[in-house]
Amino acid sequence: MKGNNMKEDIERVLISEEELKKRVAELGAQISADYAGKEPLLVSVLRGSYIFMADLTRSIDCFCRVDFMAVSSYGSGTVSSGQVNIIKDLSDSIEGKDVIVVEDILDSGNTLSYLIKVLQARHPASIRLATLLDKPSRRTKPITADYVGFTVPDEFVVGYGLDYDELYRSLPYIGILKPCVYQKD
Ligand code: IMP
Ligand code: MG
């Protein structure tokens, strides 16, 4: 059960605002160097990646385009259902484009392996993955990201875009949620 305010429900801060800012700037610099002379299309996987997307795009200094896609795989639980649904598709064609898929967290890999397959079929020039967080210990699909912000342990984390039951996205840091919030009593 959730408490009276967001911050009370956080067991501890895993990644601070300062650490996020520094690392996202590093990823932006790396992407700017890798895509120099190109015009990548950044595809944000909604909703979890919205804050990462906003900060990442502002630290990339080559011309880039943005588009958005919404998928769901979780319902309100903390374990992936394995079923991925496209709720909102991209607005524009990606044919011939250098696509960078921007995700909040790579967990089982279900969501991204499905999405990549869907996007590959649309004939982009290239596809790479940028994920803020990587939880490799839970991977069930053979997928790795090209750009990783932080590798995190097998704990349920929220904040900086990531939710539990659609709450906690607006926390400015990544925190570990107290298990009592999601455990049934
Ligand atoms: P996957 O399909 O299991 O890789 O899960 C990817 C999606 O699950 C992410 O885009 C998140 O929305 C959600 N997710 C996985 N782990 C967490 C977590 O620790 N906190 C919040 N959301 C998570
Ligand atoms: Mg989510």
Side-chain angles (χ1 to χ4, degrees):
M1 213 175 73
K2 67 185 200 308
N4 295 321
N5 72 63
M6 273 198 300
K7 293 186 179 173
E8 258 177 35
D9 291 347
I10 300 305
E11 192 159 86
R12 68 185 173 92
V13 174
L14 185 65
I15 308 167
S16 70
E17 274 186 80
E18 294 70 30
E19 290 171 300
L20 285 164
K21 197 170 171 204
K22 181 167 171 278
R23 186 67 188 129
V24 173
E26 286 170 3
L27 291 178
Q30 200 186 330
I31 290 171
S32 304
D34 293 352
Y35 288 81
K38 295 187 175 170
E39 295 184 5
L41 168 67
L42 281 89
V43 169
S44 166
V45 185
L46 294 171
R47 285 170 261 185
S49 72
Y50 80 108
I51 296 182
F52 177 43
M53 177 75 166
D55 284 348
L56 183 66
T57 49
R58 284 179 294 175
S59 43
I60 293 175
D61 57 18
C62 46
F63 286 107
C64 63
R65 293 185 172 82
V66 299
D67 205 343
F68 300 87
M69 207 164 175
V71 298
S72 82
S73 65
Y74 262 65
S76 64
T78 60
V79 179
S80 177
S81 64
Q83 170 81 37
V84 181
N85 301 308
I86 295 181
I87 293 163
K88 180 212 173 297
D89 207 338
L90 297 172
S91 298
D92 298 325
S93 164
I94 59 167
E95 194 175 337
K97 299 263 169 42
D98 291 302
V99 173
I100 305 175
V101 176
V102 179
E103 244 299 28
D104 55 353
I105 184 165
L106 182 50
D107 189 32
S108 69
N110 274 331
T111 310
L112 281 175
S113 53
Y114 173 80
L115 253 190
I116 297 297
K117 224 181 291 163
V118 168
L119 297 180
Q120 283 288 12
R122 300 180 186 181
H123 308 294
S126 65
I127 295 197
R128 283 187 183 168
L129 283 184
T131 186
L132 177 69
L133 306 177
D134 189 6
K135 237 190 231 179
S137 55
R138 301 208 348 138
R139 198 82 83 252
T140 56
K141 295 278 163 60
I143 179 165
T144 52
D146 302 280
Y147 304 97
V148 175
F150 300 87
T151 299
V152 295
D154 184 10
E155 307 250 25
F156 198 79
V157 294
V158 292
Y160 197 73
L162 289 102
D163 74 304
Y164 169 67
D165 207 6
E166 294 308 325
L167 297 176
Y168 310 96
R169 293 192 195 277
S170 56
L171 284 171
Y173 49 75
I174 300 280
I176 296 176
L177 196 61
K178 287 181 180 166
C180 63
V181 176
Y182 53 82
Q183 274 160 5
K184 302 248 181 297
D185 42 14

